């Protein structure tokens, strides 16, 4: 059995689903396929938090609102945060960012990835977009001017344009032979949710330790502010030791590493350990092919910006394709797709470079560099204008924004 479409989106995660919804009124015949079941799980407000969360920026919120998904997300569980507090555990430097400094109410929302996904899936099920669940890609090859995809169950799909939204280990990127630049951070991230004796105060907290950054991101359940999602980046050896601890010993180690800023750490959900690797495709596009989200770039979770970059990718690509449709252009033309690459690659590379430099500076042990970073934090803390620039970047409301993200 062979199915045809104008556009195939491989990967129905947050970014792929957002792209499909952004194109739902384009008149294109779209098929969205994923290896999972693509079902919306009933939400249980008392259920434990999902370990993977995202710090959604104001730009991402606007995109999700315009796609009709934000209400479903907010009705489930989304925690706004208005402040960010960062300090160097090896010195006295610290810095505080506030949404109020740019007359905003919040810096963003901490949301479980599953909640975002279900909010998008609800809208997809209400649309006329073709959904192919449990569809695992096995083969990908050119067939004339089109791509021919073969699934693990033998089904075949044909389209002139394929979008890879299938994550960091993208099968489309691999099968299409797209080259990447990548390197291992030599760090692992331990991810879980914890309950503390003191409330998080609607603040994202981050301490830079000698082994790596430790973030406490605010979560809210039943109106209580005593839960946080943690992302603890550390060496593989230290991560292995931490994963081997029983809960009581892990809570003590975590409380020490965080300097008890939120009181006692009372409880932790099961821990997940993830190796950290940076990856960037040398090209985002080829004839009849485009990469978006983690399929195109993965960055250090230092600032929680990964999915925000992906949503902007999806919004820009949708804008490029819709404009090309209106002009009667061939969507698979690499000249058309390059418009998306030209708008997104510089922004993504700039943020990746900034996060890389930031991470390396705080991992540096030589005394002069420690003095430099502490002095830099103290200096910036006394410069409201400089902090406001950072806040606007965190909100995602500067630069070349797609229409879906504009006010």
């Amino acid at each position: 059995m062979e199915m045809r479409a104008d556009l195939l989106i491989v990967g129905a995660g947050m970014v792929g689903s957002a792209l499909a919804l952004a194109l739902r009124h384009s008149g294109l015949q779209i098929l969205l396929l994923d290896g999972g079941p693509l079902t919306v799980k009933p939400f249980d407000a008392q259920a434990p938090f999902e370990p993977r969360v995202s710090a959604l920026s104001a730009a991402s919120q606007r995109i999700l609102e315009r796609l009709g998904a934000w209400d479903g997300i907010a009705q489930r569980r989304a925690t706004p945060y208005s402040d960010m507090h960062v300090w160097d555990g090896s010195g006295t430097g610290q810095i505080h960012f506030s949404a109020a400094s740019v007359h905003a109410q919040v810096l963003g929302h901490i949301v479980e990835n599953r909640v975002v996904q279900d909010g998008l899936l609800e809208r997809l099920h209400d649309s006329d977009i073709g959904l192919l669940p449990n569809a695992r890609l096995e083969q990908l090859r050119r067939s004339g001017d089109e791509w021919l995809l073969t699934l693990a169950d033998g089904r075949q799909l044909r389209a002139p344009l394929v979008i890879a939204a299938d994550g960091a280990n993208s099968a489309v990127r691999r099968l299409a032979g797209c080259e990447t630049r990548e390197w291992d951070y030599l760090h692992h991230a331990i991810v879980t949710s914890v309950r503390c004796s003191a409330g998080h105060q609607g603040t994202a907290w981050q301490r830079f330790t000698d082994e790596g950054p430790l973030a406490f991101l605010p979560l809210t359940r039943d109106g209580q502010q005593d839960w946080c999602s943690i992302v603890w980046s550390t060496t593989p050896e230290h991560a292995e030791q931490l994963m081997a601890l029983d809960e009581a010993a892990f809570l003590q180690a975590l409380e020490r590493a965080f300097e008890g800023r939120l009181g006692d750490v009372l409880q932790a959900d099961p821990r997940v350990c993830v190796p950290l690797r940076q990856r960037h495709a040398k090209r985002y596009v080829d004839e009849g092919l485009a990469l978006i989200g983690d399929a195109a770039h993965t960055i250090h979770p230092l600032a929680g910006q990964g999915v925000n970059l992906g949503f902007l990718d999806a919004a820009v690509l949708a804008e490029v394709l819709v404009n090309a449709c209106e002009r009667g252009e061939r969507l698979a033309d690499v000249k058309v797709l390059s418009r998306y690459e030209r708008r997104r690659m510089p922004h993504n590379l700039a943020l990746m470079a900034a996060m890389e430099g930031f991470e390396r500076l705080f991992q540096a042990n030589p005394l002069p560099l420690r003095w430099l970073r502490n002095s830099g934090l103290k200096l910036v803390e006394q410069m409201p204008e400089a902090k406001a620039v950072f806040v606007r970047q965190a909100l995602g409301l500067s630069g070349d924004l797609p229409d879906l993200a504009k006010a």
Side-chain angles (χ1 to χ4, degrees):
M1 175 184 177
E2 185 175 288
M3 303 175 66
R4 289 200 81 265
D6 298 319
L7 172 66
L8 286 173
I9 303 173
V10 182
M14 294 183 286
V15 174
S17 295
L19 175 64
L21 284 172
L23 291 169
R24 66 190 183 279
H25 301 310
S26 65
L28 296 171
Q29 185 180 3
I30 300 168
L31 282 178
L32 176 63
L33 58 142
D34 194 88
L38 298 184
T39 55
V40 179
K41 297 181 181 178
F43 181 71
D44 180 2
Q46 302 304 315
F49 293 100
E50 293 282 339
R52 298 292 189 93
V53 305
S54 293
L56 297 182
S57 67
S60 291
Q61 181 180 345
R62 286 181 184 173
I63 291 170
L64 291 165
E65 286 173 344
R66 285 168 176 152
L67 298 181
W70 182 255
D71 285 348
I73 292 168
Q75 289 166 9
R76 288 174 170 85
R77 215 156 43 189
T79 303
Y81 66 100
S82 57
D83 295 84
M84 183 184 301
H85 194 83
V86 180
W87 73 101
D88 185 356
S90 300
T92 57
Q94 59 182 327
I95 191 166
H96 172 248
F97 299 102
S98 172
S101 67
V102 293
H103 309 290
Q105 292 185 328
V106 299
L107 291 176
H109 290 76
I110 306 300
V111 189
E112 298 149 83
N113 288 1
R114 182 70 245 178
V115 167
V116 179
Q117 183 65 61
D118 282 349
L120 289 162
L121 279 174
E122 282 182 338
R123 299 284 70 79
L124 284 169
H125 284 293
D126 292 339
S127 74
D128 58 359
I129 294 167
L131 302 179
L132 291 181
N134 305 309
R136 187 168 62 85
L137 181 62
E138 193 79 17
Q139 295 179 15
L140 172 75
R141 65 178 179 86
R142 297 292 302 185
S143 176
D145 292 333
E146 297 182 316
W147 291 98
L148 181 63
L149 286 69
T150 303
L151 305 182
D153 60 9
R155 286 180 293 174
Q156 291 190 318
L157 314 173
R158 185 182 291 272
L161 177 57
V162 172
I163 309 298
D166 50 344
N169 298 311
S170 169
V172 173
R173 188 186 65 226
R174 173 177 52 83
L175 292 170
C178 300
E179 295 184 357
T180 61
R181 297 183 181 92
E182 49 189 280
W183 60 92
D184 199 317
Y185 279 113
L186 302 178
H187 272 69
H188 290 181
I190 294 177
V191 180
T192 187
S193 303
V194 300
R195 186 168 64 88
C196 302
S197 62
H200 53 62
Q201 305 158 49
T203 299
W205 305 82
Q206 189 152 268
R207 176 184 185 242
F208 284 91
T209 74
D210 289 338
E211 290 80 23
L214 168 59
F216 273 56
L217 307 175
L219 297 171
T220 302
R221 183 161 62 197
D222 295 330
Q224 300 298 310
Q225 295 190 346
D226 52 356
W227 280 90
C228 288
S229 171
I230 71 154
V231 182
W232 192 349
S233 176
T234 188
T235 63
E237 296 78 18
H238 189 217
E240 184 177 359
Q241 294 168 8
L242 292 171
M243 291 296 291
L245 296 176
D246 61 27
E247 182 172 340
F250 175 74
L251 296 180
Q252 290 177 356
L254 179 59
E255 189 178 315
R256 284 194 304 270
F258 198 59
E259 299 179 343
R261 286 292 177 107
L262 296 181
D264 299 332
V265 183
L266 305 173
Q267 179 183 346
D269 286 339
R271 287 156 259 165
V272 177
C273 187
V274 184
L276 299 181
R277 188 170 183 81
Q278 180 151 302
R279 182 182 290 108
H280 192 264
K282 293 182 179 180
R283 292 291 310 271
Y284 291 0
V285 300
D286 200 348
E287 185 71 21
L289 180 69
L291 313 180
I292 63 173
D294 283 355
H297 45 77
T298 56
I299 66 172
H300 196 284
L302 185 66
Q305 290 293 311
V307 74
N308 295 319
L309 298 183
F311 282 141
L312 288 170
D313 286 351
V316 168
L317 180 57
E319 192 169 285
V320 166
L321 294 177
V322 169
N323 290 340
C325 278
E326 292 173 350
R327 288 192 289 263
E329 297 176 298
R330 190 171 64 87
L331 302 188
D333 191 333
V334 71
K335 293 180 181 178
V336 171
L337 298 174
S338 291
R339 296 168 193 160
Y340 151 70
E341 182 182 71
R342 286 197 300 272
R343 290 179 63 182
R344 291 303 303 146
M345 185 177 280
H347 178 269
N348 292 336
L349 282 172
L351 187 64
M352 291 173 75
M355 291 303 100
E356 176 75 7
F358 206 50
E359 196 267 344
R360 287 181 182 273
L361 176 62
F362 277 91
Q363 288 302 303
N365 286 319
L367 187 60
L369 286 178
R370 290 194 179 199
W371 176 86
L372 176 64
R373 72 192 184 211
N374 275 277
S375 298
L377 285 174
K378 292 175 183 177
L379 179 63
V380 175
E381 175 64 11
Q382 299 169 8
M383 300 172 63
E385 298 85 357
K387 291 203 296 181
V389 170
F390 179 90
V391 170
R392 282 191 285 269
Q393 288 288 339
L395 291 169
L397 299 179
S398 58
D400 180 14
L401 290 177
D403 288 344
L404 282 175
K406 291 178 180 176

